[in-house]
């Protein structure tokens, strides 16, 4: 499934450029992917699409002074306090594993993974195969979440997500 997701990311790097799922499925078959892999990836992508569209993100509209505060503009959306703490369920801890959870915390502490994206990353990681989800697979999930919002991660974040860290030596 993750090979299909990488293919989609590389070939449709802007999420809006991605064709409808039926057409995408035909293109993936033509690219040589197995039907089962394609089906899993399309189901996963549909869940990502639903999660991204369901996220209430509202930037202030400068032309409307009443919308200067996104929380008051959308009462269902609550800003996360800088003192809040995300507690992971036992199921999340077991399915994601310490290495993947540590990486999510690293991205969040670095300021590159806002809370709304973190929650989608966790949701999509829980829907991914693997027990625990490998760090490489989690990195693909993070890339796909950025992709679903039409955002490209900063260069250093992209390097961290795409670089093979196995051969690195600590100084």
């Amino acid at each position: 499934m993750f090979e299909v997701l990488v293919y989609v990311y590389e070939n449709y790097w802007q999420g809006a450029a991605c064709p409808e799922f039926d057409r995408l499925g035909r293109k993936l078959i033509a690219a040589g992917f197995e039907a089962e892999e394609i089906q899993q990836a399309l189901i996963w992508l549909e869940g990502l699409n639903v999660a991204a569209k369901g996220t209430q993100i509202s930037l202030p509209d400068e032309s409307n002074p009443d919308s200067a505060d996104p929380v008051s503009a959308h009462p269902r959306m609550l800003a996360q306090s800088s003192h809040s703490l995300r507690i992971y369920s036992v199921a999340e801890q077991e399915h994601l594993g310490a290495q993947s959870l540590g990486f999510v915390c690293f991205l969040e502490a670095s300021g590159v993974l806002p809370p709304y994206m973190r929650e989608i990353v966790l949701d999509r990681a829980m829907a991914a195969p693997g027990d625990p989800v490998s760090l490489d697979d989690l990195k693909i999930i993070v890339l796909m979440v950025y992709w679903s919002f039409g955002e490209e991660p900063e260069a250093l974040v992209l390097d961290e997500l795409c670089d093979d860290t196995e051969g690195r030596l600590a100084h």
Side-chain angles (χ1 to χ4, degrees):
M1 175 182 91
F2 287 101
E3 291 83 14
V4 175
L5 295 177
V6 169
Y7 179 87
V8 169
Y9 182 83
E10 289 176 347
N11 288 280
Y12 305 104
W13 59 272
Q14 290 181 327
C18 188
E20 294 294 323
F21 288 144
D22 292 338
R23 192 165 164 228
L24 177 61
R26 290 191 299 273
K27 287 182 179 247
L28 293 170
I29 288 171
F33 292 103
E34 293 182 21
E36 185 177 328
E37 259 188 325
I38 293 169
Q39 185 64 25
Q40 286 178 339
L42 291 177
I43 290 169
W44 191 92
L45 283 169
E46 178 63 29
L48 176 62
N49 190 24
V50 168
K53 285 184 178 177
T55 302
Q56 294 279 337
I57 300 171
S58 174
L59 297 175
D61 179 8
E62 293 173 8
S63 65
N64 182 0
D66 293 334
S67 70
D69 179 14
V71 175
S72 64
H74 295 280
R76 292 186 335 175
M77 185 178 116
L78 299 175
Q80 180 174 327
S81 166
S82 61
H83 301 292
S84 65
L85 177 66
R86 171 63 157 88
I87 305 295
Y88 297 94
S89 71
V90 173
E92 289 172 330
Q93 292 175 36
E94 289 174 354
H95 187 69
L96 296 172
Q99 193 175 22
S100 292
L101 284 174
F103 189 71
V104 168
C105 290
F106 162 73
L107 292 175
E108 192 174 10
S110 299
V112 298
L113 188 66
Y116 66 91
M117 287 179 109
R118 176 201 62 215
E119 292 306 313
I120 295 174
V121 166
L122 295 173
D123 173 70
R124 295 293 74 214
M126 291 300 289
D131 225 4
V133 173
S134 74
L135 182 57
D136 288 338
D137 291 347
L138 181 77
K139 288 179 180 183
I140 293 168
I141 292 169
V142 172
L143 277 175
M144 293 307 293
V145 170
Y146 270 99
W147 175 82
S148 71
F149 283 96
E151 295 181 25
E152 186 173 332
E154 297 173 16
L156 291 175
V157 175
L158 193 58
D159 184 50
E160 184 66 34
L161 293 172
C162 295
D163 191 27
D164 182 17
T165 58
E166 294 265 333
R168 287 188 187 170
L169 293 175
H171 292 104

